Amino acid sequence: MSLRPLVLVVAPGDDIYRGYCLRQVADAYDVAVITTGPLTWEQPHVVDHEIVEDFEDEASLFAAGEALAARHLVAGVVTWAEGHLTAVARLAEQLALATTSVESVRTCRDKATSRAVFATHGVPSAQSTAANSLDEALAAAKAIGYPVVVKPASVGGSIGVIKAETQHDLAAAYAFATRGVQLHGGDNTVVLVEEYLSGEEVSVECVTYQGVTTAVAVTRKELGPEPLFEEIGHTLAAGDPLLATVAPIAAAAVEATGTVNGIQHVELRLTQSGPRVVEVNGRIGGDWIGWAVWRATGLSLPRIAADLAVGQAPDLTPTRKEAVAIKVLYAPASGTLAERAIPGNFAETTGWVHGPAWLMAEGDEVLLPPEGDRDSARVGLFATHADTLDLAIARRTITANHIALTVTADGQQ
């Protein structure tokens, strides 16, 4: 019989994006999972599991959690799935294992509420107005002044986020944002109209324990062309000097949400007036950002999340000093993916490539925004690492030059 504490992971996700999270937790803890189907890639890493049809069905989720708690001494509950954060917080409370409140989770997820608490606590952010209709959005944009950003109030991952330069653009922007809610869900259907913040976008990867927030890394974002805010790459270096500047603002934003324990992915823009907070996400960052933190610093955010969930003080001492460059591979055009390839053994031979991980297969249909979305446009992703950021970026370029992506227009033979 294992002597390790057992952590319940809800919605472990897919192997490509979140496999490293489950593996790193399983390296230190026994793991049980709740999924919406039979175990696949998760099987080697878990000791037990339950199935629910819908994570938002609280009765079913609670029943699954209680069934696992009846068979095991569950020490903590975690998830890294944005869409299920609120339901999992309620499950943790149901099992008397909560490490932070449902209210603070809702505050992070609801961007309108976040903006309100930022203003109350003096956290530099963006002027923002909630809109329940196009007419309300038009009025909000007129009051704020163009250009504005239009986005869903409770959907993460840059989904449904678009810039409107003028009043002429706003109707299409509002439709794009509401479509993001329809495709990806959310705690509500409210759309936000916000002041456009000009400047480099970064995220601060944070750990909060007993109300004290520590910024462990800063990720520099690379975005595709406006009016969209698609993330096409990330770079992260241990010891980035920018961390000293953005860490206090990120910590103040986390405190404003009422969060006392957990992992936060805090997004900011570096404007001419200083760093301003875009949003606080109460989870590990996507696109392998958590893996990049581990590769660059030796700190495992999934393991730390589990430590926090069981009430253990995390060890935040870095054990590495490296740099990582991530590239998200988008299809060059809409159509049928005819080819996606990299020379055999390239990654193994170099020793500094992670991936590529393919999200689409040849023959799949791809559709770029604004007609499509992130899920219909991304073909894969990879990362490179090195002792310095310049070398990691150079290696990323070399790797990208070895990857072939070809799309055939629909109807073309």
Side-chain angles (χ1 to χ4, degrees), residues 246-386:
V246 296
I249 297 171
V254 173
E255 182 179 7
T257 67
T259 302
V260 296
N261 288 289
I263 306 295
Q264 298 83 39
H265 172 70
V266 184
E267 298 179 2
L268 303 93
R269 280 271 177 143
L270 307 182
T271 73
Q272 289 186 340
S273 62
R276 296 171 71 180
V277 176
V278 175
E279 60 191 42
V280 175
N281 299 281
R283 56 168 171 80
I284 298 167
D287 290 353
W288 289 353
I289 288 174
W291 179 88
V293 171
W294 170 79
R295 180 71 250 183
T297 70
L299 296 174
S300 167
L301 293 181
R303 162 69 184 273
I304 291 169
D307 291 342
L308 296 171
V310 304
Q312 179 177 319
D315 184 353
L316 302 181
T317 306
T319 59
R320 267 199 297 265
K321 191 172 184 180
E322 296 184 13
V324 174
I326 298 169
K327 183 173 182 62
V328 181
L329 299 167
Y330 283 82
S334 296
T336 301
L337 183 62
E339 180 187 23
R340 56 116 172 105
I342 187 171
N345 297 321
F346 177 82
E348 294 81 0
T349 301
T350 62
W352 36 256
V353 178
H354 181 64
W358 300 112
L359 301 167
M360 288 191 178
E362 293 172 354
D364 286 349
E365 295 300 312
V366 295
L367 185 63
L368 302 185
E371 291 77 17
D373 62 7
R374 180 186 67 183
D375 293 341
S376 67
R378 288 184 169 188
V379 176
L381 71 166
F382 71 87
T384 54
H385 53 90

Side-chain angles (χ1 to χ4, degrees), residues 34-50:
I34 300 177
T35 63
T36 55
L39 296 180
T40 54
W41 67 271
E42 311 97 336
Q43 183 73 60
H45 311 293
V46 306
V47 300
D48 202 353
H49 84 289
E50 286 284 330

